Amino acid sequence: MKLDKMAEDNSYESMLCVKPEVHVYRIPPRASNRGYRAADWKLDEPAWSGRMKITAKGKMAFIKLEDKNTGELFAQAPVEQYPGCVVESVTDSSRYFVIRIEDGNEGRHAFIGLGFADRGDSFDFNVALQDHFKWVKQEGELAKQEATQSAAPKLDLSFKEGQTIKISIGNIKKKEAGGAKARPMGGGLLPPPPGAKPGGVLPPPVAQQTVSAVPTNAAALLDFGSPGPAAQPSSDLWGDFTSAGSNPSKDAAKPGWVQFS
């Protein structure tokens, strides 16, 4: 506590608000718990008039009443919190307040009435105190958070000596030992044999034939009932497909066109 007070005493004093004209009134004792009423004061006969300053030093705010010509201090009201018992609004006006002043040498205090000639001055007086103690509250919350974070143990995410980790990645298929399988060509057909003419029709796959193809020399033995002589075997195993309009009997004799069931 002593260190905190010393830090506050040595801190810089800032100016929050200055009003060149305020009035001080003697107030009667409070008649009830309903609050003070400015109508009970002699508003046309202020006890003192001068200048008002609001300063801040650390967490404390100070309302200072000074002579407007010489700057001599008339009275001072230390404010520890607002709203609070040091500054209290009256019930019948927004331009008048009751403040508790203190005698710094002897520790005595008294209540006086404080009035502003303009309503805007009283608004500035109120806002200056509110902003200061709002800042004090925020500073206190930040200090608590920092203390909590410093007291909490820090999480150590570094790797220890010899420590390893494993990463598992799903949906990855292992390749076969023999490598990737050959992809079949489009249509399921095998490539043509060497020496085939471009544009020729490929024979059906061997797996789809139930009977092996007839040898070339067996084409002469096929008899489809035609009166003419049997067709001579062609030197081209796949035939000539340019004569699509030739005799059907001759075309049927070519092994490339024969389909056995």
Side-chain angles (χ1 to χ4, degrees):
M1 294 298 293
K2 292 182 179 180
L3 294 177
D4 294 339
K5 290 182 179 180
M6 291 176 62
E8 290 181 0
D9 293 339
N10 296 329
S11 62
Y12 175 75
E13 185 176 14
S14 60
M15 188 71 64
L16 302 181
C17 181
V18 177
K19 293 302 173 183
E21 184 179 5
V22 295
H23 305 289
V24 173
Y25 302 92
R26 293 186 179 93
I27 60 175
R30 188 195 304 242
S32 63
N33 294 330
R34 293 181 298 177
Y36 294 95
R37 295 178 68 253
D40 298 336
W41 308 345
K42 296 179 180 180
L43 299 179
D44 55 345
E45 298 178 3
W48 181 88
S49 296
R51 179 177 59 195
M52 184 207 70
K53 290 181 180 179
I54 301 179
T55 62
K57 195 173 183 180
K59 298 180 180 180
M60 293 288 295
F62 299 89
I63 302 173
K64 297 181 179 182
L65 303 177
E66 300 175 348
D67 187 278
K68 63 176 62 176
N69 297 321
T70 63
E72 182 182 359
L73 183 64
F74 171 74
Q76 176 175 275
V79 185
E80 295 182 358
Q81 62 179 2
Y82 183 80
C85 61
V86 177
V87 181
E88 185 177 351
S89 301
V90 298
T91 59
D92 57 346
S93 177
S94 62
R95 295 191 295 120
Y96 297 93
F97 300 86
V98 175
I99 64 174
R100 187 183 70 179
I101 60 175
E102 293 184 2
D103 186 357
N105 297 328
E106 299 181 6
R108 297 178 299 177
H109 68 272
F111 291 92
I112 61 173
L114 180 67
F116 296 90
D118 186 80
R119 197 178 303 274
D121 292 341
S122 64
F123 177 80
D124 294 341
F125 169 79
N126 194 19
V127 170
L129 291 174
Q130 287 180 351
D131 289 346
H132 171 71
F133 287 100
K134 182 178 180 181
W135 171 82
V136 170
K137 182 179 180 181
Q138 292 175 351
E139 289 293 317
E141 292 176 353
L142 290 176
K144 290 181 180 179
Q145 291 178 1
E146 292 177 357
T148 303
Q149 292 176 359
S150 60
K154 295 183 179 180
L155 182 61
D156 186 9
L157 299 178
S158 60
F159 285 99
K160 306 299 185 294
E161 184 178 358
Q163 185 178 4
T164 59
I165 61 173
K166 294 182 179 180
I167 300 177
S168 177
I169 303 177
N171 298 329
I172 295 181
K173 297 181 179 179
K174 296 182 179 179
K175 294 184 178 180
E176 296 181 0
K181 295 182 179 180
R183 297 174 59 186
M185 297 183 64
L189 301 178
L190 297 175
K197 293 182 179 181
V201 179
L202 298 178
V206 178
Q208 295 179 1
Q209 295 182 358
T210 57
V211 181
S212 61
V214 179
T216 305
N217 56 4
L221 301 178
L222 297 176
D223 186 7
F224 291 90
S226 59
Q232 297 297 327
S234 175
S235 60
D236 188 355
L237 295 178
W238 305 100
D240 186 5
F241 296 99
T242 58
S243 59
S246 61
N247 193 339
S249 61
K250 292 182 180 181
D251 293 339
K254 296 177 181 180
W257 291 81
V258 177
Q259 297 290 337
F260 295 91
S261 59

